[in-house]
């Protein structure tokens, strides 16, 4: 096998797959990228056995063939390569040369036959979504992730739904870590032909790769086939093996009629939370929120350090409610709101508090209080 | 402070017929001597010696089964006596403790007077003798307590310290075991003072990190503070098995008893744990640990037992186990705020029910004595030493 490839193209692709190849799997060869040269193209494959990347690059191929080479080392070499064209050829016994006139690397590849089989998708029913919007939806959803050794599918995965019977049609992602939850709706453009289909669970790890994979402009095509969630742009495909499991009934958490809706300016509230989180530590995370006639008081007491307190005028006239929250979770929920004003909905210290924008209702967070 | 032949002395205290006789406590546990009276020591009998060997050395030896509960009770009283001298008391075993008496001169007088007062008060209130060592730091105090035993009182003043170190046999230094000692002898080092003749770098090259420690000790530097037990960082329970075994069922019963002990200690100290560790020592003395952590801290004995049992099952038992233990770490006070869950979780509910049951059992034990209510599995094996 022997081909010459553009440095820029190669570095670009390799940077996208580092997350996949850097993840430890049960097979050593998954740290490699497989390169298959034929005609005028090189096909690239990388996988961590859950998420699989496939792409192709133009190249001038002198002799077809396949190699598997450490994605990390190839990336480092390509990134520092002095010339814009890189010649890659396999000599014998899986020895690979990476060179130009002056630079020469001689690397041991791995046996391509050991490379795990990757799914092939020919006739997937894909629908188009704007890249930037999808990226934003994913980033907001994976912000909430589980801690410790939790292996529950509804915590490791994001729920992906297609609400084709609603007007406007939308796709939705729901994410939770067990104590908080977020829901984001992406309204589909009219021309997007979103087919109806079941709700699925996509692992957050895989979505992390997707957020790196999609650019900030244009569109990507998205689809579901068998047990895979697929995202395609012009040259590359990413396929994520979906999780199996039940998702909890999230509707009753975020759609509710009771509670006090309090409209607040986001920025000052965020600053207040920042100040009140200074005394919170890993072992002591609670701040007590007291909603009283016209005032919200936040009080953080840390037995190891001391205490802090701040009042803010709010538009509230119900009975006094006292509930403890982790201010860090609260700030993260606020970060998802893009409006200048937000609406905070509180019922009691036993029920989740809801936060969304005053105008934009596409993003909602629910946050469970702490028990003191 | 170090009690003199503690277990043996307690037996002689409680049974006058045993006084003045060659006595060892032990027998049930791997057939080794747990403690030997001073009369028995004259025959060359010492702790950890197999009973049969001790019998050969002294044919009229009396062997008494240990009564751990009685020792623990007296130990508690002794520690309480020490706490009347200073709040900084660090028990290191059932019969030894460090006491920080710096700054107590106006209260208790000179070091000598304080040392005598400690010994007198222990003897008056328990009838047992102890040995006390007083020194500017912990390691010298420990060594000094071992001098002139039994009923010893050894004081190393800052002025005497260099001479004391110069002549101190190197094997008396804590941390110097058979191997290190051999290596040091090879270097011509017999006393701690001789360490000073070697450059530190060379010591470190020969002994590793311990070289730094030895050099510091030789210079009389040891800044380890006396830490009181109140700030528990972990709670644990471990057992050296009577016989090495790879029998999963036997080990599981141990884990059940240990999980209960650990959970009881957690409840007594109003703590919850986020991490549970299973400790195993195999026949070849290699120690293995396996841990599990929860996002929310736990407390119930059943949760601890189920988790350690899973860890044990996942561990490939290729060798018999010599020692098994359960530890709880990442401790969080009970009254610490806890994040509530969004969804009703069956497991969490299950855990809370077990915690409730545990508390009910505590209440029964408190009223009718420990062992009045035990798990069926443990009652069968008689592991709860409820005979008492």
């Amino acid at each position: 096998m022997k081909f010459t490839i553009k440095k820029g193209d190669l570095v670009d692709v390799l940077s996208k797959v580092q997350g996949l190849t850097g993840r430890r799997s049960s097979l050593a060869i998954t740290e490699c990228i497989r390169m298959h040269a034929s005609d005028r193209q090189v096909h690239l494959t990388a996988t961590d056995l859950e998420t699989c990347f496939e792409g192709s690059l133009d190249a001038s191929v002198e002799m077809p063939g396949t190699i598997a080479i450490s994605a990390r080392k190839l990336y480092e070499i390509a990134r520092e390569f002095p010339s814009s064209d890189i010649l890659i050829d396999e000599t014998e016994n899986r020895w690979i040369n990476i060179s130009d006139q002056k630079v020469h690397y001689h690397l041991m590849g791995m046996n391509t036959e050991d490379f795990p089989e990757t799914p092939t998708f020919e006739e997937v029913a894909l629908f188009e979504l704007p890249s930037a919007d999808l990226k934003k939806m994913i980033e907001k959803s994976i912000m909430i992730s589980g801690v410790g050794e939790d292996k529950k599918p509804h915590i490791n995965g994001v729920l992906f739904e297609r609400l084709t019977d609603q007007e406007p049609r939308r796709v939705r992602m729901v994410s939770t870590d067990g104590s908080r939850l977020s829901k984001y709706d992406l309204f589909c453009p009219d021309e997007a032909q979103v087919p109806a289909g079941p709700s699925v669970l996509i692992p957050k790890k895989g979505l992390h790769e997707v957020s790196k994979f999609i650019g900030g402009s244009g569109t990507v095509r998205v689809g579901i086939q068998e047990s895979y969630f697929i995202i395609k742009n012009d040259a590359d495909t990413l396929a994520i093996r979906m999780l199996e499991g039940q998702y909890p009934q999230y509707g009753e958490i975020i759609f509710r009629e009771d509670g006090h809706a309090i409209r607040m300016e986001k920025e000052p509230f965020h600053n207040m939370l920042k100040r009140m989180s200074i005394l919170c530590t890993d072992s002591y995370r609670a701040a007590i929120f007291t909603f009283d006639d016209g005032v919200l008081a936040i009080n953080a007491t840390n037995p190891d350090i001391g205490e802090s307190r701040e009042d803010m005028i709010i538009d509230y006239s119900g009975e006094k409610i006292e509930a403890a929250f982790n201010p860090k979770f609260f700030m993260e929920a606020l970060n998802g709101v893009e409006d200048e004003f937000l609406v905070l909905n509180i019922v009691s210290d036993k029920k989740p508090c809801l936060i969304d924008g005053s105008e934009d209702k596409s993003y909602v967070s629910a946050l469970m209080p702490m028990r003191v | 402070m170090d009690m003199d032949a503690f277990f043996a002395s307690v037996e002689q205290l409680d049974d006058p017929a045993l006084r003045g006789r060659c006595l060892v406590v032990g027998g049930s546990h791997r057939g080794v001597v747990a403690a030997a009276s001073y009369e028995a020591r004259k025959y060359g009998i010492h702790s950890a010696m197999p009973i049969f060997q001790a019998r050969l050395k002294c044919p009229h030896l009396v062997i008494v089964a240990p009564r751990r509960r009685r020792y623990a009770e007296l130990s508690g009283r002794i520690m309480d006596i020490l706490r009347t001298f200073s709040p900084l008391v660090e028990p290191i075993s059932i019969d030894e403790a460090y006491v920080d008496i710096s700054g107590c001169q106006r209260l208790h007088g000179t070091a000598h007077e304080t040392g005598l007062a400690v010994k007198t008060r222990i003897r008056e209130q328990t009838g047992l003798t102890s040995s006390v060592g007083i020194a500017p730091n912990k390691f010298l105090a420990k060594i000094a307590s071992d001098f002139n035993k039994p009923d010893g009182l050894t004081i190393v003043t800052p002025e005497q310290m260099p001479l004391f170190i110069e002549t101190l046999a190197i094997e008396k230094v804590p941390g110097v075991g058979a191997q290190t000692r051999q290596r040091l002898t090879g270097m011509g080092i017999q006393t701690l003072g001789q360490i000073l003749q070697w450059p530190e770098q060379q010591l470190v090259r020969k002994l590793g990190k311990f070289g730094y420690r030895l050099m510091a000790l030789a210079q009389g530097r040891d800044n380890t503070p006396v830490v009181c037990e109140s700030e528990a960082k972990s709670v644990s329970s471990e057992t050296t098995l009577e016989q090495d075994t790879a029998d999963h069922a036997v080990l599981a019963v141990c884990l059940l008893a240990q999980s209960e002990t650990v959970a009881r200690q957690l409840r007594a100290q109003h703590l919850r744990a986020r991490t549970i560790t299973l400790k195993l020592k195999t026949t070849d003395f290699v120690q293995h640990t396996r841990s599990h952590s929860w996002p929310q801290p736990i407390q119930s004995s059943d949760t601890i037992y189920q988790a350690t049992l899973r860890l044990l099952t996942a561990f490939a038992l290729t060798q018999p186990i010599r020692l098994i233990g359960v530890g709880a770490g990442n401790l969080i006070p009970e009254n610490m705020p806890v994040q509530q869950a969004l969804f009703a979780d069956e497991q969490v509910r299950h855990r809370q029910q077990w915690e409730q049951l545990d508390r009910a059992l505590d209440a029964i034990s408190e009223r009718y004595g420990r062992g009045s209510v035990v798990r069926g599995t443990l009652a069968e094996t008689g592991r709860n030493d409820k005979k008492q």
Side-chain angles (χ1 to χ4, degrees), chain A residues 147 149-150 152 176 178-181 248 253 283-284 286 329 349 352 368-371, chain B residues 272 274 291-296 332 335-343 345 347 352:
Chain A
V147 279
E149 300 164 30
D150 222 316
K152 296 188 194 82
T176 182
S179 56
R180 53 192 172 137
L181 178 143
I253 292 171
S283 54
Y284 207 92
F329 286 179
D349 61 345
M368 203 58 190
M370 296 179 86
R371 195 174 53 237
Chain B
R272 284 173 201 278
R274 277 202 44 210
S291 301
H292 178 82
S293 294
W294 289 269
Q296 305 290 353
I332 292 162
N335 59 6
M336 205 70 123
V338 179
Q339 179 66 53
Q340 298 183 75
L342 265 176
F343 316 107
D345 187 328
Q347 272 183 346
Q352 283 164 352

Side-chain angles (χ1 to χ4, degrees), chain A residues 133 146 239 265 279:
Chain A
D133 291 354
E265 202 181 338
L279 295 192

Side-chain angles (χ1 to χ4, degrees), chain A residues 30-47:
Chain A
T30 59
E31 68 180 50
C32 287
I33 183 162
R34 183 177 63 183
M35 307 177 95
H36 172 71
S38 65
D39 291 337
R40 253 165 279 150
Q41 284 206 311
V42 174
H43 295 274
L44 304 144
T45 315
T47 178

Side-chain angles (χ1 to χ4, degrees), chain A residues 104-369:
Chain A
H104 186 89
Y105 283 92
H106 193 55
L107 260 68
M108 186 67 178
M110 285 181 89
N111 188 353
T112 52
E113 281 167 24
D114 294 340
F115 204 85
E117 277 213 36
T118 50
T120 45
F121 307 102
E122 299 297 334
E123 309 132 60
V124 191
L126 297 170
F127 54 95
E128 273 195 358
L129 288 175
S131 299
D133 291 354
L134 181 63
K135 195 180 168 94
K136 191 159 84 183
M137 172 157 84
I138 291 171
E139 280 168 357
K140 283 189 181 186
S141 299
I142 57 178
M143 200 162 66
I144 296 180
S145 63
V147 279
E149 300 164 30
D150 222 316
K151 301 234 160 49
K152 296 188 194 82
H154 72 268
I155 287 174
N156 281 338
V158 160
L159 181 73
F160 179 76
E161 295 188 302
R162 285 166 280 181
L163 306 173
T164 44
D165 51 352
Q166 291 199 11
E167 200 50 54
R169 281 172 306 152
R170 63 196 77 172
V171 290
R172 170 177 290 172
M173 277 190 182
V174 185
S175 176
T176 182
D177 65 0
S179 56
R180 53 192 172 137
L181 178 143
S182 75
K183 178 228 77 172
Y184 186 85
D185 283 348
L186 168 55
F187 299 106
C188 302
D190 290 338
E191 66 274 15
Q193 300 295 313
V194 180
S199 303
V200 294
L201 271 174
I202 314 169
K204 288 172 186 170
K205 266 200 280 186
L207 285 177
H208 222 86
E209 300 307 325
V210 176
S211 70
K212 282 185 264 176
F213 173 79
I214 45 184
S217 60
T219 58
V220 287
R221 283 167 294 145
V222 175
I224 286 158
Q225 184 174 322
E226 286 156 36
S227 54
Y228 286 89
F229 178 76
I230 299 148
I231 292 200
K232 256 181 193 285
N233 62 19
D234 296 338
D236 312 323
T237 309
L238 206 57
I240 308 171
R241 190 199 299 274
M242 296 183 302
L243 297 171
E244 276 173 37
Q246 285 283 319
Y247 207 82
Q249 297 294 326
Y250 70 89
E252 49 202 65
I253 292 171
I254 53 172
F255 304 116
R256 68 180 184 206
E257 297 301 322
D258 56 347
H260 304 272
I262 308 164
R263 190 170 181 272
M264 300 162 84
E265 202 181 338
K266 180 184 144 186
E267 199 59 35
F269 185 39
H270 190 270
N271 290 339
M272 178 187 190
L273 288 166
K274 227 183 197 166
R275 284 189 288 270
M276 290 304 106
S277 67
I278 290 174
L279 295 192
C280 292
T281 52
D282 270 354
S283 54
Y284 207 92
R285 301 195 182 91
I288 295 168
F289 290 50
T290 311
F291 299 88
D292 210 345
D293 211 10
V295 181
L296 165 65
I298 303 183
N299 184 338
T301 308
N302 186 327
D304 297 333
I305 308 173
E307 55 183 299
S308 60
R309 189 195 153 90
E310 184 168 343
D311 291 349
M312 191 165 104
I313 308 264
I314 53 163
D315 181 15
Y316 178 73
S317 56
E319 81 277 21
K320 184 170 164 179
I321 301 174
E322 228 180 55
F325 291 98
N326 180 343
K328 191 176 141 259
F329 286 179
F330 232 100
M331 283 192 282
E332 286 180 2
L334 252 60
N335 286 337
V337 175
E338 288 170 29
D339 291 348
E340 198 186 332
F341 283 85
L342 60 89
V343 177
L344 184 154
N345 182 303
I346 183 133
V347 182
S348 71
D349 61 345
K350 305 274 186 309
K351 288 232 172 135
C353 173
L354 302 182
I355 296 156
D356 59 6
S358 61
E359 305 296 325
D360 178 6
K361 300 289 180 191
S362 60
Y363 179 76
V364 181
S365 302
L367 179 50
M368 203 58 190

